[in-house]
Amino acid sequence: MSGLFLSFEGIDGAGKSTHIEALAAALRARGRTVVLTREPGGTPVAEQLRALALNEAMDPLTEALLMFAARRDHLLQVIEPALARGEVVLCDRFTDATFAYQGGGRGFDIAVLETLERWVQSVPALPAGRLRQPDLTVWFDLPPAVAAQRLSGARVPDKFEAQPQAFFERVAAAYARRAQQDPGRFLRVQADQPREEVWTELESGLRSRGILT
């Protein structure tokens, strides 16, 4: 079987973690080997960078550089080897999150992010000029006001989760722009539903793409 790379995206509180675990179980039941991972993180180096990026104050460029440095190590150490072995990689966030949080939420220069994306996601397995992107990105679209209700009192927030609702409105708008730019890669799931209905919508979308059979 050929490798398959899926990313799960959405603002904090959208329910990604619950459904990524359910999808991993469904794929394993169908005989696929699944690698569950996350960004920032996924390797010892990237997890250290995650701790810095999520908890330390820094300017937007430093933050973006840390995200892409973690991504490069993650790609080379985890994602690319798994795809070469024909496995399924399920990643909790990838580059779309950087464009949403640093680009949309922080208002950082999109052109700089695009340059970093080209540098970091050019990998040896792909022809020159082609970037490693997920085969499918599942976007859990949730109104920021609902996300705030879900997150209130859940745990001690990191510096992103502690941002005001206006920040998450900008993040959500940036996710919508990314989906409009590459609609074939995105599967939008309405996350403002009961958990069972979200899973039903996700499962239906994955079946229509031939990922669940």
Side-chain angles (χ1 to χ4, degrees):
M1 294 182 180
S2 58
L4 187 63
F5 180 20
L6 278 67
S7 62
F8 279 46
E9 297 282 359
I11 62 176
D12 296 282
K16 296 181 286 70
S17 300
T18 297
H19 295 289
I20 201 170
E21 294 279 357
L23 178 57
L27 289 167
R28 286 169 179 149
R30 289 163 171 79
R32 295 302 302 261
T33 300
V34 178
V35 174
L36 269 176
T37 189
R38 68 177 183 177
E39 287 214 348
T43 71
V45 168
E47 289 292 335
Q48 292 180 58
L49 296 176
R50 175 190 178 91
L52 291 172
L54 269 57
N55 296 293
E56 301 295 333
M58 60 190 68
D59 82 294
L61 176 56
T62 303
E63 194 172 271
L65 289 170
L66 285 179
M67 294 295 184
F68 275 106
R71 181 161 300 127
R72 181 67 178 180
D73 193 62
H74 189 210
L75 271 169
L76 296 184
Q77 301 299 326
V78 174
I79 295 174
E80 290 299 305
L83 294 177
R85 294 190 298 266
E87 298 170 0
V88 179
V89 176
L90 301 183
C91 190
D92 189 342
R93 294 209 170 105
F94 195 62
T95 304
D96 297 303
T98 305
F99 280 84
Y101 279 79
Q102 279 69 52
R106 298 284 195 221
F108 187 62
D109 191 334
I110 296 297
V112 174
L113 296 180
E114 289 172 343
T115 297
L116 293 171
E117 181 181 34
R118 288 194 300 273
W119 289 353
V120 166
Q121 290 165 234
S122 297
V123 295
L126 296 177
R130 185 178 168 193
L131 307 183
R132 176 64 71 198
Q133 295 285 13
D135 297 298
L136 179 70
T137 295
V138 180
W139 171 34
F140 290 82
D141 188 10
L142 183 72
V146 177
Q149 293 173 356
R150 290 183 179 180
L151 289 172
S152 60
R155 62 177 183 273
V156 177
D158 61 40
K159 74 178 188 184
F160 292 104
E161 294 169 336
Q163 293 295 316
Q165 184 173 321
F167 175 88
F168 289 104
E169 289 170 353
R170 296 192 298 272
V171 171
Y175 271 126
R177 287 193 296 271
R178 289 285 282 184
Q180 290 168 0
Q181 291 164 2
D182 195 0
R185 178 166 64 84
F186 276 79
L187 171 61
R188 177 184 174 272
V189 174
Q190 185 179 340
D192 186 14
Q193 307 180 79
R195 181 180 300 178
E196 295 77 11
E197 293 179 25
V198 173
W199 172 253
T200 297
E201 184 176 335
L202 171 59
E203 188 178 33
S204 175
L206 294 172
R207 288 185 185 280
S208 71
R209 303 289 185 109
I211 294 171
L212 288 179
T213 57

